[in-house]
Amino acid sequence: MAISDTIKKGAIRAPHRSLLRATGAIQSEEDWDKPFIAVANSFVQIIPGHAHLDVVGRKVRDAIRAAGGVPFEFNCIGVDDGIAMGHGGMRYSLASREIIADSIEIMLRAHCFDGVVCIPNCDKIVPGMMMGAARVNIPAVFVSGGPMRSGKNPLTGDSLDLASVFEAVGRLSTNAITEEQLDAIERNACPTCGSCSGMFTANSMNCLCEALGIALPGNASILATDPARDVLFERAGRTIVRLVRDGVRPSDILTREAFRNAIALDMAMGGSSNTILHTLAVAKEAGVPLSMRDFDEMAGQVPHLCKVAPSGKHYMEDIDRAGGIFAILKTLAGLPGILHADALTVSGLTIGETLSVGEVRDADVIRPLDRAYSSKGGLAVLHGNIAPNGCVVKSAGVSPSMMKFTGPAVVFESGEDATTGILTGQVKAGDVVVIRHEGPKGGPGMPEMLAPTSAIVGRGLSECVALITDGRFSGATRGGAIGHVSPEAAAGGPIALVEAGDLIEIDIPNRSLQLLVAHEVLALRRLRWQPPEPKSRTGYLARYAALVGGADQGAVLSV
């Protein structure tokens, strides 16, 4: 018995069928015997990565119908992190992930769908849909809207992306560029629809979807404007009907071995630090044991093979040209014991069988194992007396001179205050910026710190100023930026005890972050510490802050 028979079979379901007929989706009486397939689309016009997804949704629906299914499309919310950046709206970004997951659960279970095609693209939408699909556990395929093409500065010929604009604001504050030059960067950095062109959070998560096996090859790298994506949309429609027929569910695909494959890819690509936060959350919904230790362990075993913006000169279009995600996975297959080749994918083949589509076509973009940028992966988990439960740095984006760094703390209580302080010269070479009370509870919502990190880069301080925070970073962040400090300040974490001028020692190679203050002094400060007043007392953020857990656990809700 199909799940959808619950709402369409038998005399008792005549009222249900009457309503379904009114939707126009039932085109013949034969449709009652076909699988009902949800198309969960995150089309919203205010996000460039999603502005074209209404067209994508129609193409996927047509493919489902041609394959013998009956499609029903619905939409999810989405927050554009770039537009929400630098003001109170950013507090809703991570928090929206839980609403998206809940929306997927509600729609799929309330309407008894047999399967679902999820069409995400940016930031929190990808993991939110993954969490919902894992929770409901009906056959699911992910097909993103694709990445944006990189921009080009008409004045200099330099490649551009969203981070270029944020950093240009910092450069303007030091008069390193003119307003006219800033305008040229603004107008050309984001030239097409699609998820931002570098290895930021959206593209990082879409890459991980391929390695997890929940998306088809090409999902992450084929540009949004490339006609080749139409083939991908058509394949996704056919694939979901086959998965429903064969009874293949996310629980068959999202295994511990699949997550280990995804982590290996993440390390090889130097993905966004947010991937750790989101992968932990998805694994929890899938019932798979996973912790920050898995990431730390894999970082020591997998070399860094790709430098995609903001860590390097390449973009997603270059990854696609060089062979795509499976070319990277095929390279990793040369490391004994790293890749779990028998992990199943939605294509019906295992990861090992799918490696045949991967071939490195540009060894400058995807380096071979013997020419890796580093013997260790592009993300690192640090521990120390500031972060007993751990913190995260995108080591791929850290210059060699910043791998070990000690400096006095300059403390800010919010990301907005930090940005103002940096742009007005309160931060000098040699300092360690500390931004606290921006964690999951304290933010609330763990807002991204792209504005302050970009201000540091823009003012020419990226190789002489570090930053630590209990908040998180945009995937566009680069430099000595350490986030997800756990426990957070609002939960009484040691970062709450840091005072201006305290020396902080960062040692990324040895995975250490230490506050160089005597234990006795910290104990006295602990006695004086008082929990902060909540920033939100009503509405969704108040409920979120009351229920959300720590970043080291994926910042998931407790119930």
Side-chain angles (χ1 to χ4, degrees):
M1 175 180 170
I3 298 173
S4 61
D5 287 351
T6 305
I7 61 170
K8 66 185 181 184
K9 290 299 177 79
I12 197 172
R13 299 307 185 203
H16 304 65
R17 291 193 297 274
S18 184
L19 290 168
L20 287 164
R21 292 178 192 278
T23 67
I26 304 302
Q27 298 181 356
S28 71
E29 291 307 297
E30 288 73 26
D31 282 351
W32 299 115
D33 295 319
K34 297 175 182 178
F36 279 14
I37 308 296
V39 178
N41 196 340
S42 53
F43 164 68
V44 291
Q45 290 185 322
I46 199 167
I47 306 177
H50 295 239
H52 62 305
L53 296 187
D54 56 337
V55 176
V56 173
R58 287 198 294 273
K59 292 176 179 178
V60 171
R61 291 200 319 267
D62 289 345
I64 291 169
R65 191 168 288 280
V70 181
F72 296 85
E73 187 172 3
F74 66 88
N75 290 90
C76 292
I77 64 166
V79 172
D80 186 294
D81 283 20
I83 295 173
M85 193 75 64
H87 58 86
M90 175 46 67
R91 306 189 188 286
Y92 288 92
S93 173
L94 179 62
S96 72
R97 187 189 71 181
E98 314 309 309
I99 290 182
I100 292 166
D102 290 348
S103 296
I104 296 292
E105 175 192 354
I106 289 167
M107 290 297 293
L108 298 186
R109 286 189 168 152
H111 301 106
C112 301
F113 286 111
D114 298 304
V116 59
V117 175
C118 291
I119 309 176
N121 215 24
C122 294
D123 298 300
K124 276 17 105 253
I125 293 97
V126 185
M129 286 188 166
M130 292 173 72
M131 291 165 68
R135 187 186 301 170
V136 177
N137 198 33
I138 62 172
V141 175
F142 278 66
V143 59
S144 78
M148 181 186 292
R149 178 169 55 83
S150 63
K152 190 72 69 176
N153 190 328
L155 303 179
T156 64
D158 295 337
S159 295
L160 298 172
D161 54 48
L162 178 62
S164 306
V165 192
F166 277 94
E167 292 173 6
V169 173
R171 295 170 63 197
L172 180 69
S173 73
T174 63
N175 297 316
I177 61 172
T178 65
E179 290 190 5
E180 289 73 20
Q181 289 171 315
L182 173 62
D183 183 69
I185 294 170
E186 171 195 327
R187 291 177 182 273
N188 293 281
C190 301
T192 70
C193 63
S195 49
C196 294
S197 54
M199 189 50 62
F200 309 154
T201 303
N203 289 330
S204 296
M205 292 305 301
N206 283 324
C207 291
L208 265 58
C209 282
E210 289 193 46
L212 282 166
I214 202 75
L216 295 164
N219 174 72
S221 61
I222 300 173
L223 290 183
T225 52
D226 189 333
R229 287 208 79 84
D230 286 350
V231 177
L232 196 63
F233 301 144
E234 192 274 334
R235 284 190 64 201
R238 283 191 286 113
T239 296
I240 189 58
V241 175
R242 175 181 53 77
L243 291 176
V244 170
R245 181 193 66 219
D246 295 344
V248 179
R249 299 170 181 265
S251 57
D252 300 311
I253 295 171
L254 297 178
T255 62
R256 179 166 168 80
E257 290 73 24
F259 280 100
R260 295 281 291 182
N261 287 342
I263 296 171
L265 174 71
D266 204 10
M267 294 303 165
M269 297 194 72
S272 165
S273 58
N274 284 318
T275 57
I276 297 180
L277 191 74
H278 297 320
T279 305
L280 290 173
V282 176
K284 181 176 176 62
E285 294 288 359
V288 173
L290 206 68
S291 73
M292 290 175 73
R293 287 189 298 274
D294 290 286
F295 290 86
D296 200 29
E297 176 187 329
M298 195 67 75
Q301 298 175 349
V302 175
H304 182 204
L305 303 179
C306 306
K307 279 210 169 186
V308 182
S311 302
K313 64 181 180 179
H314 298 128
Y315 292 88
M316 289 307 298
E317 61 221 59
D318 299 310
I319 292 290
D320 190 58
R321 175 177 52 79
I325 300 310
F326 273 85
I328 302 171
L329 291 173
K330 190 170 186 177
T331 303
L332 293 180
L335 291 170
I338 293 300
L339 209 62
H340 295 274
D342 57 351
L344 185 64
T345 76
V346 291
S347 70
L349 303 175
T350 65
I351 283 285
E353 291 167 336
T354 312
L355 291 179
S356 61
V357 306
E359 198 65 50
V360 177
R361 297 190 288 267
D362 189 331
D364 181 48
V365 178
I366 303 173
R367 290 195 171 188
L369 295 173
D370 61 0
R371 282 204 306 115
Y373 288 103
S374 168
S375 62
K376 292 188 176 182
L379 293 172
V381 177
L382 315 183
H383 288 83
N385 63 350
I386 300 181
N389 293 351
C391 56
V392 178
V393 60
K394 186 173 182 174
S395 52
V398 181
S399 66
S401 63
M402 294 293 292
M403 286 292 182
K404 291 188 176 183
F405 186 86
T406 300
V410 181
V411 182
F412 298 97
E413 304 298 337
S414 73
E416 291 86 353
D417 287 348
T419 301
T420 300
I422 295 164
L423 292 176
T424 56
Q426 296 177 38
V427 175
K428 307 292 193 300
D431 287 341
V432 177
V433 175
V434 176
I435 306 175
R436 62 191 178 196
H437 297 297
E438 294 287 26
K441 287 184 179 293
M446 208 178 179
E448 291 184 347
M449 300 294 150
L450 180 57
T453 56
S454 296
I456 288 171
V457 173
R459 289 181 69 84
L461 299 172
S462 63
E463 296 192 13
C464 55
V465 167
L467 186 152
I468 69 170
T469 180
D470 53 8
R472 60 193 177 89
F473 298 113
S474 164
T477 290
R478 59 189 174 101
I482 299 169
H484 305 201
V485 170
S486 302
E488 62 176 293
I495 191 174
L497 308 180
V498 179
E499 294 185 359
D502 287 348
L503 288 180
I504 294 175
E505 180 185 72
I506 299 166
D507 188 342
I508 295 173
N510 291 306
R511 304 299 195 252
S512 174
L513 177 66
Q514 298 289 344
L515 179 62
L516 303 182
V517 174
H519 176 75
E520 296 78 8
V521 174
L522 292 179
L524 289 174
R525 292 180 187 178
R526 169 68 63 194
L527 292 174
R528 297 195 302 266
W529 180 80
Q530 295 291 328
E533 291 294 319
K535 294 177 183 176
S536 298
R537 294 184 177 276
T538 60
Y540 176 60
L541 287 181
R543 295 195 299 275
Y544 178 86
L547 295 173
V548 71
D552 59 306
Q553 301 295 318
V556 295
L557 302 186
S558 59
V559 292

